[in-house]
Amino acid sequence: MNTQVEKIQISGIRRFAEKVKNVNGAISLTLGQPDFCVPKNVSEAMIKAIKENKTTYTSNSGIDELREEICTYLRSFNIEYDKDEICLTVGGSEGLYSVLFALMNAGEKILIPGPAYPAYENISIMIDAKVVHYKLNNDFTVNIKDIKEKLDTQNIKYLILSFPSNPTGAILSKEQRDELVTLIKERDIIVITDEMYSAIIFEDYYSVAQEKEIKDKIIYVSGFSKIFSMTGLRIGYVACLEKYMKEIIKVHQYGVSCAPSIAQYGALEGLKNSLDDVENMRKTFERRKDYCMNRLKELKLEVAEPKGAFYIFPSIEKFNMPSEEFCEKLLNEGKLACVPGTAFGSLGEGYMRISYCYSDEVLKEAFDRLEKFLEINFPNC
């Protein structure tokens, strides 16, 4: 077997999601799967595409109409790309995979946040790149000082940013964005910014991709899994200059040929006519976030308030139990599945991730179970 593949593990997120099936009556707050249906007109657009036999290969980059619409959408956030700088991918995950395989050579160093979405590290390991982690601040915002120190002391060519963040829900402030832009201007690095959750943000949106002066150093990855609740339809995209795209497209082509055709037409309709649905979904997530924060504070759990996405990352350090063991116990005894912080790297130890993209009724029952579990097992905490 490929020795690099043997070094990685199946995602801890998926592993805990699967465990729920073996615990009768358990509730899962594990997956980042919005509980909303795909907007009706998006579904109808995909059905129409099938009826019109638009089920053949598209170009490797995807249909022109969708790539042009993505450019229009991004311009509303002061991010400038043209359609030839856009490639539709099989979800954001394949986008990340194709980007990292196209960029990195074995032995090169990549700077990754911790805790973070596990694909960053595991794809890098498969390539035999060397992963270096930068720490986050106590509120999970970007620790620019730590990034600077690591860039100054190690030969690092690549930096990953992830805002809004999975698993923490942290975002970039304007000050942090501007400080990062200055840093990127001064360093000979390529920055991959993963912004899959940028449509689900509860404050102002800032991205390093908004700064035109560093466009030649930025690769932007996003998609429609979360924005239109179409996770299984697998549509993401990569945006970057042609000098990167001409290599990325090679990996993409031999990996998947093209993104699913009918889903591309669905995403196109979504960008044209479903952004009101997205705003309603965002408001619902913000209300659910407030509920989760209140319940966690009542349970006296330390937690940094998320400003985006639909995850919350409370500390469980005070229970003096490894996060994996704590979440196993919570599942088997409390009938509630959350994801241990270590699923997002070693810097996630002492935390667990709660996904709040579930109904109000499910969230209430889940927190009632968490409260009862803590009362029974940790009465003095």
Side-chain angles (χ1 to χ4, degrees):
M1 302 305 293
N2 185 313
T3 55
Q4 291 307 117
V5 175
E6 287 181 324
K7 291 177 182 178
I8 66 174
Q9 302 294 325
I10 293 294
S11 164
I13 306 168
R14 291 285 176 171
R15 187 162 46 81
F16 260 79
E18 290 296 314
K19 285 176 183 285
V20 178
K21 298 176 183 178
N22 300 319
V23 180
N24 187 41
I27 288 177
S28 176
L29 300 183
T30 56
L31 294 180
Q33 169 62 62
D35 65 321
F36 295 86
C37 295
V38 175
K40 183 179 179 181
N41 60 311
V42 173
S43 297
E44 290 174 347
M46 291 188 287
I47 292 168
K48 183 172 182 284
I50 293 172
K51 289 180 176 179
E52 293 178 353
N53 295 315
K54 294 178 177 178
T55 55
T56 59
Y57 293 123
T58 70
S59 73
N60 295 135
S61 296
I63 60 174
D64 286 355
E65 306 97 302
L66 177 53
R67 289 186 288 143
E68 289 171 350
E69 199 64 36
I70 288 170
C71 294
T72 300
Y73 176 72
L74 290 177
R75 277 194 291 274
S76 69
F77 300 103
N78 297 314
I79 297 173
E80 292 284 344
Y81 288 99
D82 64 48
K83 76 174 179 65
D84 293 328
E85 296 171 327
I86 305 286
C87 175
L88 278 300
T89 59
V90 183
S93 297
E94 187 258 315
L96 288 168
Y97 187 92
S98 293
V99 166
L100 295 179
F101 260 83
L103 289 179
M104 294 196 297
N105 295 292
E108 290 183 329
K109 293 180 180 178
I110 181 168
L111 193 52
I112 291 173
Y117 180 51
Y120 308 147
E121 180 167 357
N122 288 311
I123 295 171
S124 300
I125 290 171
M126 284 193 280
I127 300 168
D128 199 18
K130 304 303 179 187
V131 174
V132 181
H133 291 100
Y134 63 89
K135 298 175 183 177
L136 301 174
N137 295 319
N138 290 337
D139 61 354
F140 303 120
T141 55
V142 62
N143 188 324
I144 299 175
K145 180 180 178 182
D146 196 45
I147 292 176
K148 283 181 178 179
E149 288 177 355
K150 289 185 165 66
L151 290 176
D152 289 341
T153 58
Q154 303 188 49
N155 181 27
I156 296 174
K157 292 188 176 183
Y158 311 101
L159 167 65
I160 287 186
L161 300 174
S162 177
F163 297 103
S165 167
N166 173 13
T168 68
I171 63 172
L172 274 183
S173 67
K174 182 180 185 299
E175 293 73 22
Q176 291 164 340
R177 190 273 311 271
D178 292 346
E179 194 172 350
L180 277 170
V181 167
T182 300
L183 174 67
I184 294 165
K185 285 180 181 178
E186 296 170 348
R187 302 305 198 283
D188 184 20
I189 56 172
I190 297 173
V191 178
I192 302 98
T193 180
D194 178 3
E195 309 205 13
M196 179 59 68
Y197 297 89
S198 59
I200 306 168
I201 196 166
F202 312 133
E203 296 191 357
D204 292 334
Y205 168 59
Y206 296 101
S207 166
V208 294
Q210 294 167 325
E211 177 52 65
K212 296 176 181 62
E213 285 188 47
I214 57 170
K215 185 177 178 180
D216 64 331
K217 296 182 176 183
I218 301 295
I219 297 176
Y220 184 96
V221 180
S222 191
F224 304 104
S225 291
K226 316 300 180 180
I227 182 174
F228 297 133
S229 191
M230 52 192 295
T231 55
L233 293 164
R234 311 312 299 136
I235 292 289
Y237 60 91
V238 173
C240 59
L241 293 185
E242 191 269 343
K243 66 178 179 178
Y244 303 126
M245 186 61 76
K246 68 185 179 69
E247 305 304 326
I248 294 168
I249 202 79
K250 296 176 187 176
V251 183
H252 169 73
Q253 174 188 340
Y254 289 114
V256 299
S257 293
C258 63
S261 60
I262 61 171
Q264 291 188 51
Y265 288 101
L268 173 62
E269 174 63 23
L271 284 179
K272 285 183 172 180
N273 296 307
S274 288
L275 294 181
D276 286 345
D277 295 284
V278 176
E279 176 59 14
N280 290 335
M281 182 172 65
R282 188 198 66 79
K283 289 178 179 177
T284 299
F285 284 135
E286 185 169 19
R287 178 176 53 75
R288 291 176 182 173
K289 179 263 296 183
D290 291 340
Y291 175 79
C292 293
M293 283 293 297
N294 289 334
R295 291 297 301 265
L296 289 168
K297 288 178 179 178
E298 288 171 359
L299 296 173
K300 296 182 171 54
L301 292 179
E302 292 183 15
V303 58
E305 183 167 1
K307 304 290 180 66
F310 37 62
Y311 306 111
I312 197 162
F313 206 58
S315 172
I316 53 173
E317 191 173 12
K318 71 178 183 177
F319 302 121
N320 295 315
M321 185 180 291
S323 62
E324 179 94 12
E325 183 181 345
F326 179 90
C327 289
E328 286 274 7
K329 189 177 180 68
L330 176 59
L331 173 59
N332 292 314
E333 298 180 17
K335 307 289 186 179
L336 174 62
C338 300
V339 182
T342 47
F344 306 95
S346 60
L347 293 176
E349 182 57 271
Y351 297 88
M352 68 177 181
R353 190 191 78 172
I354 295 171
S355 172
Y356 54 86
C357 56
Y358 295 86
S359 70
D360 295 359
E361 294 75 20
V362 169
L363 288 175
K364 182 183 184 305
E365 176 61 24
F367 275 96
D368 288 348
R369 292 185 185 191
L370 177 59
E371 181 177 1
K372 183 177 180 181
F373 171 80
L374 296 179
E375 287 175 350
I376 292 171
N377 289 277
F378 307 98
N380 299 318
C381 291

